[in-house]
C-alpha cells in the first residue's frame, strides 16, 4: 500500500472517536441532501405530470382581437383614453390544415391535434350546466391526452352523436352511459347527444366541464364548417415547449402558448422551491466542509512532531500533504455512502407514511442513481477541498521547529 | 576505515534567529568530519549544539556559510533535493525517540525508505527486520512502539536511523532520557555500527562518560568552536 494511504488509514483508525463523529456528521449532511432532493424531485415530477396529464404542451389559436383606439397619440397631442376589451368571437385558424402540416414536420413535436373549443350548456331533466365543448379527431386527440386509460365508465367513442363527458359533470347532471343530453352551443345551435363514455382526469375544472365530441359535430355546433379554433401539440421535451411555441408563433403567425406560460405560477413556484433546495444544500455542504477541515486541523496540530520526524527522515512534502487530503476524501466518501443509505431509508419511510386513500404515496420520492453519484462526488470533493487547508499546513511545517516544540 | 574525502564540511556557518532582536546562535563555525569518525559535540546549554546539528541535518538553513555532505554542496538546493539528501545520506536519532506510536517496530524502521519511495517493497521489510535484529530487538519486531520500554524504543529509533546505511548519523542527546545501563547499550550499538559499516556519528551529549568514549570531542561555547580534541 502506498505510504500516504497507509498513514491516512492508520490515522483515521487510531482517532476512532473523532473519525466516527465526523463520519456521522457528514452522513447526516448527505442524508439531508439526498432526502431533500428525492422529495422535492418527486414532488416536482408528480406536479408536472399531473398538470400535463390534462393539458396539451402547446396550444395554437387565433390571435386575440386587440381593441383598436379611435385616436392615437402623436408628438404634439396627448390623449387620455379608456379602452375596452373587444368581445372575442369564436373564429377558425386561417388555413389550419397547412399549419397542422407545418408543425407536424417540426422536430421535437410528437403529436398534433386540431380541435374546436367553445362554450355551451347541457340540460338534462331540468339540470342545466355550463360545459366546454371540445370537438376533436379522436385518434389525434388521444395522442395528446390518453383518455382511454382515464375512462371510469363506457368507452371513448365519438362516432355519430356519442360524446364523452367528465365524471364530475356526469355526477352533476345525474347522467350515466346511454343517457341523452340536450346540448346548446354559444352560437345558439341545439342538438341532442348520447353519453358514450365518462372519464376522470383528476382535475376538477376538466372533470366538471369537458364534453368531447367529434370535430365535425363541433363544426356544426359552432357554425364553423371545415374550421378549427385551436391546434394542440405534444412535444418530446416538456421544458422545450416554451421555445418551440415561440418558434411556431414566429413561423406561422398563429398565437402559440406553451403550458409553461399558462402555468407560469406553478413554474415559478417550482423554481423557488429549487433555489431554496440549492441554498439548503449549500449550507449543509459548508457545514460538512467546516467539520472535516476542523477535525483535520486538530489532527495536524496533534501530529506535528510526527510530521516533523517524517519530513526529517526523508518523506517529501507532497506525500505529507496527500496523507491529509486522502483523509478528507475518505471522510467525505465514507460519510456520503452512509448518508445516502440513511437518506434513502428516510425518503422511503416518509413515502410509506403519507399515503392517499387509494394507496398512492402523497409525497412520491424520486431517488435516481445520478442523485446518489452526485451526492457522493460532492461530499468527496468537499472533503478533499476541506482537507487542503490542513494538508498545506502539515506540508509547510518546519521539521526542526515541529520536532522541538511538538 | 576513513575515506579520503570528508563526509561533512561545515564552513563559516552563522545562524541568527529573530528579525528585530537578533540572537546569534552560531557565530561562524568551521568543522570537517571524515568518514568513520565517532564524534561528540559538547558544550553548555544554549551554546548552539542543536542549532548546528539541525543545520548539518538540513532541517534548518544557515544565515550564511555552507554545508557539504558526502560531496554534495547543499546551499541553494530546493526543498525536494534537501529531502533526497536527508533520505539517502543522513540518519537522525533524537533525545526523545519520536517513534510513530501507532506503528509497530518494523513499520517504524521501514518509514525512511517507505516514506521516501512511496511504495513498500520486500527488501524494505527484510532490511528493517535485519536492522532490528542487529540492535537486539529480533523478538520485539511486531510490538507497537508504545508497548516497548524507553531503552527499546531508543534502539528502534537507532535502527530507523541506520536502516538505509547512511554515511552520517546525527544524534541529539540520544541518551539524555535513558538510565545508565540503557545509555551504555545505545553507545555500544553506535560503536558497533561505526566499526562494522564505517558510519560516521555526531553525538550531542551532556554526559561526559559518553563524550569520553568517543574518538573526537568538539566543544561549542556561545556558538563558536572552542576546542577540538582527538584521541
Ligand atoms: N527557533 C529559535 N528561535 C530563536 N532562538 C532560538 C531558536 N532555536 C534556538 N535558539 C537560540 O539559539 C541558541 C542556541 O540554542 P540551541 O538549542 O542550539 O542550544 P543547545 O546547545 O542545543 O542547548 P541545550 O544543550 O540546552 O539543548 C539559544 O540561545 C536559543 O535560545
Ligand atoms: Mg539542544
Amino acid at each position: 500500500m502506498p505510504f500516504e494511504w497507509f498513514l491516512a488509514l492508520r490515522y483515521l483508525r487510531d482517532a476512532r472517536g473523532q473519525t466516527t463523529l465526523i463520519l456521522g456528521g457528514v452522513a447526516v449532511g448527505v442524508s439531508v441532501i439526498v432526502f431533500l432532493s428525492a422529495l422535492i424531485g418527486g414532488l416536482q415530477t408528480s406536479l408536472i405530470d399531473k398538470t400535463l396529464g390534462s393539458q396539451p404542451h402547446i396550444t395554437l389559436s387565433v390571435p386575440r382581437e386587440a381593441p383598436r383606439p379611435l385616436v392615437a397619440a402623436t408628438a404634439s397631442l396627448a390623449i387620455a383614453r379608456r379602452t375596452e376589451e373587444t368581445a372575442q368571437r369564436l373564429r377558425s385558424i386561417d388555413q389550419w390544415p397547412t399549419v397542422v402540416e407545418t408543425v407536424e414536420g417540426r422536430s421535437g413535436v410528437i403529436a398534433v391535434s386540431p380541435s374546436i373549443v367553445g362554450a355551451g350548456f347541457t340540460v338534462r331533466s331540468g339540470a342545466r350546466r355550463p360545459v366546454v365543448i371540445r370537438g376533436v379527431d379522436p385518434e389525434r386527440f388521444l395522442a395528446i391526452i390518453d383518455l382511454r386509460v382515464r375512462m371510469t365508465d363506457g368507452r371513448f367513442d365519438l362516432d355519430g352523436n356519442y360524446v364523452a363527458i367528465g365524471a364530475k359533470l356526469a355526477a352533476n347532471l345525474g347522467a350515466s352511459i346511454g343517457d341523452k343530453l340536450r346540448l346548446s352551443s354559444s352560437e345558439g345551435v341545439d342538438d341532442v347527444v348520447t353519453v358514450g363514455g365518462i372519464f376522470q382526469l383528476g382535475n376538477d375544472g376538466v372533470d366538471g366541464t369537458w364534453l368531447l365530441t367529434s370535430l365535425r359535430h363541433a363544426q356544426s355546433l359552432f357554425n364553423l364548417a371545415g374550421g378549427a379554433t385551436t391546434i394542440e401539440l405534444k412535444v418530446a421535451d416538456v421544458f422545450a415547449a416554451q421555445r418551440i411555441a415561440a418558434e411556431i408563433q414566429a413561423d406561422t403567425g398563429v398565437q402559440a402558448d406553451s403550458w409553461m406560460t399558462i402555468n407560469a405560477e406553478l413554474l415559478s413556484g417550482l423554481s423557488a422551491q429549487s433555489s431554496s433546495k440549492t441554498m439548503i444544500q449549500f449550507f449543509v455542504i459548508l457545514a460538512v466542509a467546516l467539520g472535516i477541515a476542523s477535525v483535520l486541523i486538530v489532527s495536524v496540530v496533534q501530529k506535528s512532531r510526527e510530521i516533523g520526524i517524517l519530513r526529517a527522515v526523508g518523506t517529501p512534502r507532497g506525500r505529507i500533504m496527500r496523507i491529509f487530503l486522502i483523509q478528507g476524501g475518505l471522510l467525505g466518501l465514507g460519510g456520503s455512502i452512509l448518508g445516502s443509505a440513511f437518506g434513502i431509508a428516510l425518503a422511503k419511510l416518509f413515502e410509506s407514511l403519507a399515503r392517499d386513500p387509494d394507496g398512492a404515496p402523497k409525497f412520491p420520492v424520486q431517488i435516481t442513481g445520478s442523485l446518489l453519484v452526485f451526492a457522493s462526488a460532492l461530499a468527496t470533493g468537499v472533503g478533499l477541498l476541506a482537507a487542503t487547508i490542513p494538508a498545506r499546513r502539515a506540508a509547510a511545517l518546519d521539521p526542526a521547529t515541529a520536532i522541538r516544540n511538538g | 576505515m576513513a575515506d579520503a574525502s570528508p563526509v561533512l564540511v561545515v564552513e563559516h556557518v552563522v545562524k541568527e534567529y529573530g528579525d528585530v532582536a537578533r540572537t546569534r546562535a552560531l557565530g561562524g563555525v568551521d568543522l570537517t568530519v571524515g568518514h568513520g569518525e565517532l564524534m561528540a559535540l559538547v558544550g553548555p546549554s544554549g551554546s548552539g549544539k542543536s542549532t548546528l546539528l539541525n543545520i548539518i541535518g538540513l532541517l534548518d538553513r544557515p544565515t550564511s556559510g555552507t554545508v557539504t555532505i558526502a560531496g554534495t554542496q547543499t546551499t541553494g538546493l530546493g526543498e525536494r533535493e534537501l529531502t533526497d539528501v536527508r533520505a539517502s545520506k543522513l540518519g537522525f536519532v533524537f533525545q526523545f525517540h519520536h517513534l510513530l506510536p501507532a506503528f509497530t517496530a518494523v513499520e517504524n524502521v521501514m518509514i525512511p525508505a517507505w516514506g521516501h519511495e512511496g511504495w513498500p517493497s520486500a527488501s524494505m521489510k527484510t532490511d528493517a527486520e535485519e536492522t532490528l535484529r542487529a540492535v537486539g530487538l529480533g523478538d520485539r519486531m511486531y510490538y507497537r512502539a508504545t508497548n516497548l520500554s524507553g531503552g527499546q524504543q531508543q534502539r528502534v529509533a537507532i535502527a530507523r536511523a541506520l536502516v538505509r546505511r547512511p554515511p552520517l548519523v546525527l544524534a541529539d542527546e540520544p541518551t539524555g532520557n535513558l538510565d545508565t545501563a540503557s545509555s551504555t547499550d545505545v553507545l555500544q550499538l553506535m560503536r558497533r555500527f561505526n566499526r562494522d559499516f564505517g558510519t560516521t556519528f555526531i553525538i550531542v551529549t551532556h554526559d561526559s562518560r559518553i563524550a569520553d568514549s568517543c574518538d573526537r570531542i568538539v566543544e561549542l561555547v556561545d556558538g563558536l568552536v572552542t576546542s577540538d580534541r582527538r584521541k
Side-chain angles (χ1 to χ4, degrees):
Chain A
M1 195 187 304
F3 188 69
E4 42 270 60
W5 281 90
F6 185 79
L7 251 82
L9 291 173
R10 248 334 142 78
Y11 282 175
L12 288 177
R13 199 189 73 187
D14 283 351
R16 222 164 283 132
Q18 265 175 27
T19 304
T20 313
L21 280 178
I22 192 67
L23 273 180
V26 177
V28 167
V30 171
S31 69
V32 166
I33 291 176
V34 167
F35 175 69
L36 208 64
S37 300
L39 185 68
I40 289 181
L43 274 177
Q44 296 196 342
T45 308
S46 82
L47 263 176
I48 289 172
D49 282 352
K50 261 191 195 142
T51 307
L52 294 183
S54 57
Q55 229 177 61
H57 298 167
I58 299 174
T59 305
L60 307 187
S61 54
V62 182
R64 289 179 72 82
E65 287 177 278
R68 264 183 304 268
L70 298 170
V71 227
T74 65
S76 58
L77 174 69
I79 46 173
R81 76 176 179 223
R82 183 172 165 274
T83 44
E84 277 175 28
E85 284 288 323
T86 45
Q88 301 288 323
R89 289 175 304 124
L90 207 55
R91 287 181 302 149
S92 176
I93 297 173
D94 260 357
Q95 311 284 331
W96 66 263
T98 326
V99 177
V100 166
E101 235 171 85
T102 352
V103 295
E104 262 182 331
R106 262 197 120 73
S107 71
V109 175
I110 53 180
V112 181
S113 166
S115 58
I116 286 184
V117 181
F121 282 99
T122 48
V123 184
R124 183 176 175 270
S125 55
R128 187 178 157 87
R129 294 276 161 188
V131 288
V132 174
I133 301 167
R134 301 179 71 99
V136 298
D137 173 340
E139 290 290 305
R140 286 176 171 274
F141 178 73
L142 289 175
I144 306 275
I145 299 171
D146 192 0
L147 271 189
R148 277 168 308 192
V149 299
R150 306 296 192 132
M151 302 309 290
T152 55
D153 207 356
R155 294 182 305 120
F156 184 75
D157 175 9
L158 307 179
D159 283 349
N161 66 347
Y162 279 109
V163 296
I165 61 174
K168 198 175 165 207
L169 178 61
N172 288 340
L173 291 169
S176 52
I177 302 299
D179 285 353
K180 299 219 182 304
L181 305 176
R182 176 165 286 288
L183 183 62
S184 63
S185 76
S186 60
E187 294 292 309
V189 181
D190 287 356
D191 202 354
V192 174
V193 294
T194 310
V195 177
I198 296 172
F199 58 83
Q200 183 160 29
L201 277 174
N203 174 330
D204 273 1
V206 170
D207 295 336
T209 60
W210 278 21
L211 183 147
L212 291 167
T213 182
S214 67
L215 184 58
R216 183 168 294 276
H217 186 218
Q219 286 168 345
S220 69
L221 283 173
F222 291 99
N223 295 323
L224 288 169
T229 59
T230 58
I231 299 171
E232 300 178 333
L233 313 184
K234 188 172 183 172
V235 295
D237 171 11
V238 297
F239 291 102
Q242 183 89 49
R243 180 180 52 78
I244 296 175
E247 288 169 8
I248 290 173
Q249 182 159 347
D251 286 1
T252 63
V254 295
Q255 174 80 28
D257 297 301
S258 78
W259 71 275
M260 299 166 84
T261 330
I262 295 162
N263 299 284
E265 233 165 272
L266 169 73
L267 277 176
S268 77
L270 292 187
S271 100
Q273 208 175 42
S274 294
S275 33
S276 59
K277 179 185 77 173
T278 309
M279 204 157 86
I280 293 173
Q281 287 180 343
F282 172 78
F283 284 111
V284 167
I285 283 294
L286 193 68
V288 164
L290 290 177
I292 291 178
S294 62
V295 160
L296 290 180
I297 286 173
V298 169
S299 163
V300 168
V301 171
Q302 284 173 341
K303 299 207 147 55
S304 58
R305 176 174 281 152
E306 258 177 59
I307 294 164
I309 300 282
L310 289 174
R311 296 270 296 115
V313 303
T315 308
R317 268 193 180 155
R319 210 178 305 282
I320 300 286
M321 195 145 122
R322 286 196 292 278
I323 292 170
F324 289 91
L325 289 179
I326 289 169
Q327 291 185 65
L330 286 178
L331 287 173
L333 182 66
S336 70
I337 290 171
L338 287 175
S340 294
F342 191 53
I344 292 171
L346 210 63
K348 289 287 179 201
L349 181 74
F350 196 75
E351 192 180 53
S352 70
L353 285 184
R355 285 196 180 273
D356 280 338
D358 63 355
K362 202 170 255 163
F363 302 105
V365 299
Q366 194 178 48
I367 298 159
T368 57
S370 64
L371 167 63
L372 300 183
V373 170
F374 166 76
S376 303
L378 189 69
T380 311
V382 164
L384 278 175
L385 208 68
T388 53
I389 304 161
R392 281 161 168 277
R393 197 177 272 200
L397 276 181
D398 170 46
T401 319
I403 292 168
R404 186 175 50 240
N405 302 332
Chain B
M1 204 139 186
D3 270 340
S5 67
V7 71
L8 170 71
V9 180
V10 174
E11 287 176 297
H12 320 305
V13 161
V14 172
K15 179 67 183 180
E16 290 175 343
Y17 285 111
D19 297 324
V20 191
R22 301 179 77 79
T23 16
R24 187 166 256 231
L26 296 174
V29 172
D30 289 278
L31 180 69
T32 302
V33 183
H35 276 279
E37 286 198 52
L38 186 63
M39 185 193 116
L41 184 60
V42 299
S45 184
S47 58
K49 304 182 294 294
S50 297
T51 303
L52 180 58
L53 215 64
N54 284 340
I55 287 172
I56 295 171
L58 310 179
L59 297 176
D60 208 351
R61 293 181 195 251
T63 308
S64 68
T66 62
V67 175
T68 305
I69 291 166
T72 307
Q73 217 278 81
T74 59
T75 315
L77 290 188
E79 189 53 47
R80 176 74 216 207
E81 289 142 323
L82 291 180
T83 302
D84 288 344
V85 175
R86 278 206 298 272
S88 59
K89 304 274 200 290
L90 295 169
F92 293 89
V93 182
F94 304 93
Q95 173 172 4
F96 303 97
H97 57 83
H98 295 331
L99 298 179
L100 270 55
F103 290 63
T104 63
V106 161
E107 286 163 352
N108 265 290
V109 177
M110 284 170 73
I111 280 173
W114 192 4
H116 189 246
E117 314 293 336
W119 283 87
S121 69
S123 71
M124 283 179 197
K125 184 124 191 263
T126 47
D127 287 354
E129 287 170 344
E130 188 192 315
T131 311
L132 276 172
R133 270 191 287 273
V135 299
L137 289 174
D139 56 342
R140 293 284 190 279
M141 293 203 273
Y142 297 98
Y143 278 50
R144 276 207 173 203
T146 40
N147 296 339
L148 296 172
S149 76
Q152 288 168 336
Q153 289 182 348
Q154 194 60 307
R155 279 190 279 160
V156 175
I158 290 171
R160 181 177 67 191
L162 291 165
V163 65
R164 305 192 89 188
R165 305 284 181 265
L168 178 59
V169 172
L170 308 172
D172 197 347
E173 301 188 37
T175 62
N177 217 30
L178 299 179
D179 59 26
T180 319
S182 302
S183 301
T184 312
D185 281 355
V186 164
L187 186 75
Q188 271 169 0
L189 266 177
M190 297 207 242
R191 263 216 166 287
R192 212 173 72 224
F193 274 92
N194 170 256
R195 191 184 60 226
D196 295 349
F197 299 101
T199 310
T200 305
F201 284 86
I202 299 179
I203 304 166
V204 171
T205 185
H206 282 291
D207 186 339
S208 58
R209 214 172 43 87
I210 302 272
D212 286 340
S213 56
C214 290
D215 307 331
R216 178 181 174 189
I217 302 175
V218 173
E219 188 174 15
L220 215 53
V221 176
D222 288 341
L224 290 168
V225 175
T226 52
S227 89
D228 187 348
R229 291 174 285 130
R230 282 169 206 270
K231 289 195 207 152

